[in-house]
């Protein structure tokens, strides 16, 4: 029984740490458990009409709490076979008043959070050997959580910047005037957009949690503005100048790559870029392309 509890605890710990690694350190940024939590909250939000625009931060907080819970439970399972014989209690505490499971979970939580009340002290050599590792894990969790929350805002900033650029171009009917503007200016604008779209595509691939962040202001919302990329692409690839058509071709490739990441990772539409980007806008509550 003791061996089974220890093995079970190690498996729970490994699953949580592996998900942390896949989410925070792996280039794809896609842990299985974190994706399940974020996607589940997203589906619930869509079912309620996205009334609260907090799926992104709430999902990240829920994932972080899940990681903490898995570490606490995993270490508690490892401690359980050694409770209460492997512990010394301060005066006034009777271990008979608490179940072994509750006591091991309490010891795990206190160690993980590095509180160290001193009311329960391990004397078992095994617990004394591994409890510092749990304390280090708790410190790593805190650091990882803070880093995760701070690093998401740079991708969000790039996404908002692209949305604002598309909003400005749509407001000036840029796609309808490519033949009337100097080719050098048109190619510069299109090439800049291509670069920005590429960066956003990489952000979605490496920071998948960013998909679940929404914007209240339509001007800052990429899902609201993204379909204008299609108008720019179509106008550019059919423009009279070869330089503009070349830039339009590069933009077309970037749009296709962006739609592929969105479709493969989040939407699963299995359709051309036009339908994928429309589905992206629809999932975020936008049903019409910007004028």
């Amino acid at each position: 029984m003791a061996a089974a509890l220890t093995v079970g605890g190690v498996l729970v710990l490994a699953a949580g740490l592996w998900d942390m690694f896949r989410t925070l350190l792996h280039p794809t940024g896609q842990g299985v458990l974190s994706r399940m939590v974020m996607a589940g909250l997203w589906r619930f939000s869509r079912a309620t009409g996205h009334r609260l625009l907090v799926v992104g931060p709430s999902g990240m907080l829920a994932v972080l709490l899940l990681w903490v819970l898995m570490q606490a439970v995993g270490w508690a399972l490892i401690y359980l076979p050694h409770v209460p014989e492997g512990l010394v209690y301060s005066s006034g505490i009777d271990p008979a008043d608490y179940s072994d499971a509750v006591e091991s979970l309490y010891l795990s939580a206190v160690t993980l959070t590095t509180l160290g009340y001193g009311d329960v002290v391990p004397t078992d050599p095994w617990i004394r050997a591994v409890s510092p590792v749990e304390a280090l894990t708790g410190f790593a969790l805190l650091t990882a959580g803070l880093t995760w929350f701070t690093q998401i805002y740079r991708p969000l900033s790039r996404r908002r910047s692209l949305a604002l650029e598309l909003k400005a171009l749509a407001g000036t009917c840029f796609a309808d005037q490519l033949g009337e503007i100097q080719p050098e200016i048109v190619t510069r604008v299109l090439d800049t957009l291509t670069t920005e779209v590429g960066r956003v595509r990489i952000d979605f691939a490496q920071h998948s949690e960013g998909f679940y962040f929404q914007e209240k202001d339509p001007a800052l919302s990429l899902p609201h503005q993204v379909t204008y990329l299609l108008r720019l692409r179509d106008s550019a690839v059919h423009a009279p100048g070869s330089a503009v058509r070349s830039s339009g071709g590069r933009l077309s490739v970037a749009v296709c790559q962006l739609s592929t990441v969105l479709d493969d990772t989040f939407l699963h539409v299995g359709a051309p870029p036009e339908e994928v980007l429309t589905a992206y806008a629809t999932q975020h509550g936008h049903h019409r392309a910007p004028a």
Side-chain angles (χ1 to χ4, degrees):
M1 183 63 178
L5 289 173
T6 301
V7 171
V10 170
L11 291 177
V12 172
L13 293 177
L17 292 174
W18 178 247
D19 195 70
M20 287 177 58
F21 170 78
R22 292 282 301 182
T23 302
L24 302 179
L25 300 178
H26 197 272
T28 60
Q30 297 178 20
V32 175
L33 297 177
S34 60
R35 281 289 309 281
M36 290 176 60
V37 171
M38 299 286 288
L41 288 175
W42 180 254
R43 286 192 294 269
F44 175 78
S45 179
R46 287 189 64 200
T48 58
H50 286 314
R51 296 182 180 180
L52 298 176
L53 305 179
V54 293
V55 178
S58 297
M60 292 178 68
L61 181 60
V63 170
L64 185 59
L65 291 176
L66 175 63
W67 290 339
V68 171
L69 180 62
M70 292 182 70
Q71 295 304 302
V73 171
W75 285 105
L77 291 174
I78 293 175
Y79 296 152
L80 185 56
H82 309 275
V83 174
E85 293 81 6
L87 304 176
V88 172
Y89 298 84
S90 62
S91 59
I93 297 180
D94 185 358
D97 294 338
Y98 309 96
S99 68
D100 293 349
V102 171
E103 197 63 32
S104 62
L105 185 59
Y106 172 77
L107 175 63
S108 176
V110 169
T111 305
L112 185 67
T113 56
T114 65
L115 291 176
Y117 288 129
D119 53 345
V120 179
V121 179
T123 57
D124 186 283
W126 171 246
I127 299 181
R128 290 174 62 86
V130 300
S131 56
V133 178
E134 183 182 10
L136 289 174
T137 303
F139 181 77
L141 266 173
L142 174 62
T143 304
L146 293 175
T147 302
W148 193 28
F149 273 94
T150 56
Q151 72 180 7
I152 188 59
Y153 289 102
R154 183 169 295 179
L156 293 179
S157 178
R158 286 191 286 265
R159 199 170 73 185
R160 291 164 181 160
S161 177
L162 177 57
L164 286 172
E165 179 70 12
L166 291 173
K167 174 68 174 178
L169 293 174
T172 59
C173 300
F174 187 82
D176 301 326
Q177 303 178 40
L178 296 188
E180 305 172 11
I181 304 175
Q182 294 182 8
E184 294 80 5
I185 297 177
V186 175
T187 55
R188 188 183 309 121
V189 171
L190 295 177
D191 290 344
T192 299
L193 282 177
T194 300
T195 301
E196 292 183 5
V197 170
R199 289 172 178 167
V200 169
R201 176 184 66 85
I202 294 173
D203 288 338
F204 277 125
Q206 295 183 345
H207 303 278
S208 59
E209 64 276 4
F211 175 85
Y212 305 103
F213 279 74
Q214 300 164 273
E215 302 288 349
K216 186 176 182 180
D217 185 354
L220 297 175
S221 173
L222 183 59
H224 188 80
Q225 307 295 337
V226 72
T227 50
Y228 194 70
L229 277 172
L230 301 174
R231 292 186 60 185
L232 287 169
R233 177 203 63 181
D234 294 341
S235 296
V237 296
H238 295 99
S242 60
V244 175
R245 290 198 301 271
S246 177
S247 294
R250 290 191 292 271
L251 179 61
S252 179
V253 171
V255 170
C256 184
Q257 292 174 340
L258 173 62
S259 67
T260 298
V261 170
L262 289 172
D263 193 28
D264 292 347
T265 309
F266 309 104
L267 302 173
H268 310 294
V269 177
E274 294 81 359
E275 296 182 33
V276 172
L277 295 183
T278 300
Y280 175 45
T282 301
Q283 281 218 10
H284 281 256
H286 304 296
H287 305 287
R288 292 182 300 175

